[in-house]
Amino acid sequence: MALGVPYSSFRICSPVDTQRRHFWDRSLRISRPRATVAVDTPSSTDADRGGAPKLLLEVKDLSAVISESKQPILKGVNLTVHEGEVHVVMGKNGSGKSTFAKVLVGHPDYEITGGSVIYKGQNLLEMETEDRAIAGLFMSFQSPVEIPGVCNIDFLNMAYNARRRKLGLQELGPIEFYGYVAPKLELVNMKIDFLNRNVNEGFSGGEKKRNEILQLAVLGADLAILDEIDSGLDVDALRDVAAAVNKLLTPKNSFLMITHYLRLLDFIKPMYVHIMENGRIVKTGDISLAQVLEKEGYKAISGSQI
């Protein structure tokens, strides 16, 4: 879910809102452009094209504890991500995978105790959560929360305009934004009336994950962190979500995915697979590492019971 958006700024959906959106739907349905592979991100430029991929994220010896209990979770994580790369982090429950993702986006439940994180040449750990989102860092949550009373289109419009505003770009009005967001529904195989529903309220597991990828398509990201985007999905929903992710990957952005299962990697091919154990990345390889894990379990990779 998009980070750094002030929920207090949202309007509550009313019957009038719904009627207005149905009017927009009718007025724009005929001329609605088809979805394209390119993603319109406010921060994207034509500069620096070609040449070797740029360093996007560099994590060195990152350590973190739970803020309240001070229990150590991350114990020296090292990771390097360049533009255009797909990385996968795997590991047993409790190994620190989701904590690592949350620390990167600035979740308040965790406290940094050591190490450094450089993102696009900046000290990520000194940036507020909202500023990280504005800088192109996106996280799709393992269990997306429901926001009763907040329409999907209002949420997306607010998040999109918040980023444009920070970047000094003109905000899009409701009708302009509708024209921008409607084609992206095709990317995740969703119907237009999906925009009128409250955020994740009453959504199936597949709909919630599709909605997360829709947010990513609308907001754009230089680094998208997908935390177990495959959990709870049937094979058709998994294909839809994976196809959308593949279309969103460009030579200028990167994905960091967290998963337990090889099946996701059948649809989204990673360049690097990392195994996390006890708060550290202990082994890195290609997809063959995940294949060994699928067949023989973690003991075959770590050499010990984990």
Side-chain angles (χ1 to χ4, degrees):
M1 179 170 294
L3 301 171
V5 180
Y7 291 163
S8 59
S9 302
F10 290 119
R11 295 180 295 104
I12 302 300
C13 285
S14 67
V16 174
D17 292 326
T18 302
Q19 291 171 7
R20 183 176 65 241
R21 291 190 178 88
H22 287 322
F23 170 76
W24 291 345
D25 188 9
R26 291 194 301 270
S27 64
L28 294 174
R29 189 186 303 274
I30 296 177
S31 60
R32 182 158 55 100
R34 295 189 62 81
T36 58
V37 173
V39 181
D40 179 13
T41 62
S43 63
S44 62
T45 69
D46 293 327
D48 302 316
R49 298 192 182 276
K54 281 189 172 183
L55 180 62
L56 186 61
L57 178 75
E58 185 175 32
V59 181
K60 289 185 176 181
D61 299 321
L62 181 64
S63 300
V65 300
I66 298 174
S67 297
E68 189 171 319
S69 67
K70 305 303 180 184
Q71 177 185 351
I73 304 294
L74 302 183
K75 304 172 183 179
V77 178
N78 292 281
L79 179 68
T80 300
V81 178
H82 290 84
E83 292 178 338
E85 294 181 345
V86 176
H87 291 246
V88 170
V89 178
M90 306 181 76
K92 281 192 171 184
N93 290 329
S95 60
K97 304 182 305 297
S98 292
T99 295
F100 178 45
K102 291 176 181 178
V103 165
L104 289 179
V105 297
H107 198 291
D109 285 353
Y110 302 96
E111 177 184 333
I112 307 299
T113 56
S116 63
V117 182
I118 302 300
Y119 172 67
K120 295 167 64 174
Q122 295 181 292
N123 186 345
L124 185 72
L125 302 181
E126 292 183 349
M127 300 171 66
E128 297 294 331
T129 299
E130 180 179 359
D131 293 330
R132 300 182 196 198
I134 298 300
L137 192 61
F138 177 95
M139 180 175 175
S140 169
F141 288 103
Q142 183 179 148
S143 301
V145 298
E146 297 182 2
I147 311 179
V150 178
C151 292
N152 225 13
I153 192 169
D154 283 342
F155 177 85
L156 291 169
N157 196 358
M158 179 69 70
Y160 183 75
N161 278 339
R163 189 175 183 193
R164 290 183 69 89
R165 186 165 53 248
K166 284 283 188 176
L167 294 170
L169 300 174
Q170 184 176 355
E171 298 180 32
L172 297 187
I175 295 179
E176 290 176 304
F177 181 74
Y178 188 98
Y180 167 74
V181 71
K184 301 192 183 299
L185 290 169
E186 296 181 21
L187 191 69
V188 289
N189 195 21
M190 302 180 75
K191 295 180 179 179
I192 199 76
D193 59 4
F194 186 79
L195 294 175
N196 301 329
R197 298 171 62 182
N198 293 337
V199 178
N200 292 327
E201 189 173 23
F203 286 15
S204 67
E207 286 176 328
K208 287 183 178 180
K209 297 306 174 71
R210 283 186 172 98
N211 199 30
E212 295 284 288
I213 301 304
L214 175 62
Q215 292 172 24
L216 173 59
V218 169
L219 299 176
D222 296 313
L223 178 60
I225 303 170
L226 308 182
D227 189 2
E228 294 192 27
I229 196 66
D230 54 330
S231 66
L233 298 185
D234 59 37
V235 65
D236 290 333
L238 178 60
R239 283 196 183 101
D240 287 342
V241 168
V245 169
N246 284 325
K247 290 177 180 178
L248 292 172
L249 179 64
T250 75
K252 303 298 290 181
N253 63 13
S254 300
F255 284 86
L256 177 61
M257 303 190 302
I258 296 171
T259 186
H260 285 284
Y261 305 110
L262 179 63
R263 68 171 191 160
L264 176 64
L265 311 189
D266 290 335
F267 298 101
I268 304 173
K269 303 298 184 183
M271 298 177 182
Y272 302 96
V273 174
H274 310 278
I275 304 301
M276 183 167 275
E277 173 187 348
N278 194 27
R280 297 174 58 246
I281 291 176
V282 297
K283 195 172 185 64
T284 294
D286 57 20
I287 194 171
S288 64
L289 190 59
Q291 292 167 343
V292 171
L293 178 62
E294 181 80 4
K295 291 180 180 179
E296 304 179 34
Y298 286 100
K299 183 178 181 179
I301 292 176
S302 69
S304 61
Q305 290 284 354
I306 62 174

